[in-house]
Amino acid sequence: EVQLQASGGGLVQPGGSLNLSCVASGFTVASRAMSWVRQAPGKPPEWVSVFNSGGSTAYADPVKDRFTMSKDNAKNTLNLQMNRLKPDDTAVYYCALGSYGPTLAVLPKFRGQGTLVTVSS
């Protein structure tokens, strides 16, 4: 059974940093494409980033050069390091199994429970 458990969200001031983690079970993170998506209050889901099975990564324009994905294969975990956070980054962040991109319209089927990130002074 595929399970994803995200953590690391919280309240941070603009310009601050957070690191989100997503522990996976039921599959091996190292060999699968995985993505981060987010949903701000009252808005549709938004694709954030993807770590493809071949090792390449891609990021949405609003987070490019501020967010970095990585995998910890020993812990079967996906991470998202978020720097220079902005109020517009406030959202529930979901890790998801699969390769998603800018055309994302609905939350992925295989996703974690989400972790809330609030950027506010």
Side-chain angles (χ1 to χ4, degrees):
E1 179 186 6
V2 170
Q3 290 190 341
L4 297 162
Q5 182 75 31
S7 63
L11 173 64
V12 63
Q13 292 187 342
S17 298
L18 282 175
N19 185 67
L20 306 184
S21 292
C22 176
V23 180
S25 60
F27 68 97
T28 302
V29 164
S31 61
R32 302 293 297 271
M34 295 189 70
S35 303
W36 285 97
V37 303
R38 66 186 181 184
Q39 187 167 26
K43 294 187 177 181
E46 177 186 22
W47 169 71
V48 174
S49 59
V50 61
F51 197 122
N52 291 306
S53 57
S56 64
T57 55
Y59 299 87
D61 284 345
V63 309
K64 199 173 294 184
D65 299 326
R66 298 189 297 122
F67 290 11
T68 304
M69 290 182 75
S70 63
K71 289 183 177 179
D72 186 335
N73 295 334
K75 297 180 179 180
N76 213 38
T77 297
L78 178 74
N79 298 307
L80 182 69
Q81 177 65 40
M82 305 186 296
N83 297 327
R84 304 197 309 277
L85 284 161
K86 305 175 181 179
D88 284 349
D89 295 320
T90 294
V92 176
Y93 284 71
Y94 300 90
C95 57
L97 174 62
S99 179
Y100 295 92
T103 59
L104 178 80
V106 297
L107 288 174
K109 177 180 179 181
F110 294 109
R111 67 182 187 272
Q113 85 287 2
T115 185
L116 176 63
V117 173
T118 303
V119 185
S120 175
S121 55

PDB file of all heavy atoms in Angstrom, residues 52-66:
ATOM      1  N   ASN A  52      12.191  13.705 -11.286  1.00  0.00           N
ATOM      2  CA  ASN A  52      11.923  12.606 -12.204  1.00  0.00           C
ATOM      3  C   ASN A  52      12.742  11.370 -11.843  1.00  0.00           C
ATOM      4  O   ASN A  52      13.776  11.458 -11.176  1.00  0.00           O
ATOM      5  CB  ASN A  52      12.219  13.055 -13.636  1.00  0.00           C
ATOM      6  CG  ASN A  52      11.222  14.086 -14.113  1.00  0.00           C
ATOM      7  OD1 ASN A  52      10.019  13.864 -14.056  1.00  0.00           O
ATOM      8  ND2 ASN A  52      11.705  15.231 -14.558  1.00  0.00           N
ATOM      9  N   SER A  53      12.283  10.223 -12.322  1.00  0.00           N
ATOM     10  CA  SER A  53      12.949   8.964 -11.976  1.00  0.00           C
ATOM     11  C   SER A  53      14.381   8.933 -12.487  1.00  0.00           C
ATOM     12  O   SER A  53      15.229   8.257 -11.915  1.00  0.00           O
ATOM     13  CB  SER A  53      12.158   7.776 -12.515  1.00  0.00           C
ATOM     14  OG  SER A  53      11.987   7.888 -13.905  1.00  0.00           O
ATOM     15  N   GLY A  54      14.665   9.679 -13.549  1.00  0.00           N
ATOM     16  CA  GLY A  54      16.026   9.726 -14.076  1.00  0.00           C
ATOM     17  C   GLY A  54      16.949  10.654 -13.315  1.00  0.00           C
ATOM     18  O   GLY A  54      18.156  10.712 -13.595  1.00  0.00           O
ATOM     19  N   GLY A  55      16.387  11.405 -12.367  1.00  0.00           N
ATOM     20  CA  GLY A  55      17.219  12.277 -11.538  1.00  0.00           C
ATOM     21  C   GLY A  55      17.098  13.752 -11.848  1.00  0.00           C
ATOM     22  O   GLY A  55      17.616  14.585 -11.097  1.00  0.00           O
ATOM     23  N   SER A  56      16.436  14.102 -12.930  1.00  0.00           N
ATOM     24  CA  SER A  56      16.286  15.519 -13.244  1.00  0.00           C
ATOM     25  C   SER A  56      15.179  16.131 -12.399  1.00  0.00           C
ATOM     26  O   SER A  56      14.281  15.431 -11.924  1.00  0.00           O
ATOM     27  CB  SER A  56      15.976  15.705 -14.729  1.00  0.00           C
ATOM     28  OG  SER A  56      14.734  15.114 -15.049  1.00  0.00           O
ATOM     29  N   THR A  57      15.265  17.433 -12.210  1.00  0.00           N
ATOM     30  CA  THR A  57      14.253  18.152 -11.444  1.00  0.00           C
ATOM     31  C   THR A  57      13.733  19.334 -12.260  1.00  0.00           C
ATOM     32  O   THR A  57      14.408  19.828 -13.172  1.00  0.00           O
ATOM     33  CB  THR A  57      14.820  18.681 -10.115  1.00  0.00           C
ATOM     34  OG1 THR A  57      15.977  19.478 -10.386  1.00  0.00           O
ATOM     35  CG2 THR A  57      15.205  17.537  -9.184  1.00  0.00           C
ATOM     36  N   ALA A  58      12.540  19.764 -11.932  1.00  0.00           N
ATOM     37  CA  ALA A  58      11.968  20.944 -12.565  1.00  0.00           C
ATOM     38  C   ALA A  58      11.112  21.663 -11.530  1.00  0.00           C
ATOM     39  O   ALA A  58      10.548  21.024 -10.632  1.00  0.00           O
ATOM     40  CB  ALA A  58      11.135  20.553 -13.783  1.00  0.00           C
ATOM     41  N   TYR A  59      11.031  22.975 -11.678  1.00  0.00           N
ATOM     42  CA  TYR A  59      10.341  23.800 -10.696  1.00  0.00           C
ATOM     43  C   TYR A  59       9.410  24.790 -11.393  1.00  0.00           C
ATOM     44  O   TYR A  59       9.706  25.287 -12.480  1.00  0.00           O
ATOM     45  CB  TYR A  59      11.361  24.580  -9.862  1.00  0.00           C
ATOM     46  CG  TYR A  59      12.304  23.699  -9.079  1.00  0.00           C
ATOM     47  CD1 TYR A  59      13.484  23.236  -9.650  1.00  0.00           C
ATOM     48  CD2 TYR A  59      12.007  23.314  -7.779  1.00  0.00           C
ATOM     49  CE1 TYR A  59      14.340  22.408  -8.945  1.00  0.00           C
ATOM     50  CE2 TYR A  59      12.860  22.488  -7.065  1.00  0.00           C
ATOM     51  CZ  TYR A  59      14.024  22.042  -7.657  1.00  0.00           C
ATOM     52  OH  TYR A  59      14.871  21.208  -6.948  1.00  0.00           O
ATOM     53  N   ALA A  60       8.309  25.089 -10.728  1.00  0.00           N
ATOM     54  CA  ALA A  60       7.414  26.124 -11.211  1.00  0.00           C
ATOM     55  C   ALA A  60       8.125  27.471 -11.134  1.00  0.00           C
ATOM     56  O   ALA A  60       8.942  27.704 -10.239  1.00  0.00           O
ATOM     57  CB  ALA A  60       6.146  26.133 -10.375  1.00  0.00           C
ATOM     58  N   ASP A  61       7.795  28.354 -12.045  1.00  0.00           N
ATOM     59  CA  ASP A  61       8.472  29.652 -12.095  1.00  0.00           C
ATOM     60  C   ASP A  61       8.431  30.415 -10.770  1.00  0.00           C
ATOM     61  O   ASP A  61       9.434  31.016 -10.374  1.00  0.00           O
ATOM     62  CB  ASP A  61       7.876  30.505 -13.211  1.00  0.00           C
ATOM     63  CG  ASP A  61       8.337  30.064 -14.591  1.00  0.00           C
ATOM     64  OD1 ASP A  61       9.317  29.300 -14.676  1.00  0.00           O
ATOM     65  OD2 ASP A  61       7.697  30.466 -15.581  1.00  0.00           O
ATOM     66  N   PRO A  62       7.288  30.413 -10.058  1.00  0.00           N
ATOM     67  CA  PRO A  62       7.238  31.195  -8.807  1.00  0.00           C
ATOM     68  C   PRO A  62       8.215  30.720  -7.722  1.00  0.00           C
ATOM     69  O   PRO A  62       8.520  31.487  -6.795  1.00  0.00           O
ATOM     70  CB  PRO A  62       5.797  31.021  -8.343  1.00  0.00           C
ATOM     71  CG  PRO A  62       5.032  30.694  -9.572  1.00  0.00           C
ATOM     72  CD  PRO A  62       5.966  29.867 -10.392  1.00  0.00           C
ATOM     73  N   VAL A  63       8.687  29.472  -7.830  1.00  0.00           N
ATOM     74  CA  VAL A  63       9.560  28.947  -6.775  1.00  0.00           C
ATOM     75  C   VAL A  63      10.975  28.664  -7.272  1.00  0.00           C
ATOM     76  O   VAL A  63      11.858  28.319  -6.477  1.00  0.00           O
ATOM     77  CB  VAL A  63       8.975  27.662  -6.137  1.00  0.00           C
ATOM     78  CG1 VAL A  63       7.526  27.891  -5.713  1.00  0.00           C
ATOM     79  CG2 VAL A  63       9.066  26.472  -7.071  1.00  0.00           C
ATOM     80  N   LYS A  64      11.178  28.818  -8.549  1.00  0.00           N
ATOM     81  CA  LYS A  64      12.494  28.527  -9.125  1.00  0.00           C
ATOM     82  C   LYS A  64      13.565  29.374  -8.455  1.00  0.00           C
ATOM     83  O   LYS A  64      13.354  30.556  -8.180  1.00  0.00           O
ATOM     84  CB  LYS A  64      12.447  28.796 -10.631  1.00  0.00           C
ATOM     85  CG  LYS A  64      13.545  28.136 -11.434  1.00  0.00           C
ATOM     86  CD  LYS A  64      13.301  28.337 -12.920  1.00  0.00           C
ATOM     87  CE  LYS A  64      12.046  27.619 -13.373  1.00  0.00           C
ATOM     88  NZ  LYS A  64      11.837  27.732 -14.837  1.00  0.00           N
ATOM     89  N   ASP A  65      14.688  28.761  -8.181  1.00  0.00           N
ATOM     90  CA  ASP A  65      15.845  29.408  -7.531  1.00  0.00           C
ATOM     91  C   ASP A  65      15.636  29.675  -6.045  1.00  0.00           C
ATOM     92  O   ASP A  65      16.530  30.225  -5.383  1.00  0.00           O
ATOM     93  CB  ASP A  65      16.213  30.725  -8.225  1.00  0.00           C
ATOM     94  CG  ASP A  65      16.607  30.529  -9.679  1.00  0.00           C
ATOM     95  OD1 ASP A  65      17.203  29.480  -9.978  1.00  0.00           O
ATOM     96  OD2 ASP A  65      16.298  31.412 -10.497  1.00  0.00           O
ATOM     97  N   ARG A  66      14.470  29.297  -5.510  1.00  0.00           N
ATOM     98  CA  ARG A  66      14.238  29.419  -4.068  1.00  0.00           C
ATOM     99  C   ARG A  66      14.002  28.060  -3.413  1.00  0.00           C
ATOM    100  O   ARG A  66      14.348  27.872  -2.243  1.00  0.00           O
ATOM    101  CB  ARG A  66      13.028  30.328  -3.786  1.00  0.00           C
ATOM    102  CG  ARG A  66      13.199  31.747  -4.273  1.00  0.00           C
ATOM    103  CD  ARG A  66      12.063  32.642  -3.772  1.00  0.00           C
ATOM    104  NE  ARG A  66      10.758  32.217  -4.280  1.00  0.00           N
ATOM    105  CZ  ARG A  66       9.726  31.883  -3.511  1.00  0.00           C
ATOM    106  NH1 ARG A  66       9.849  31.880  -2.189  1.00  0.00           N
ATOM    107  NH2 ARG A  66       8.571  31.533  -4.057  1.00  0.00           N
TER     108      ARG A  66
END
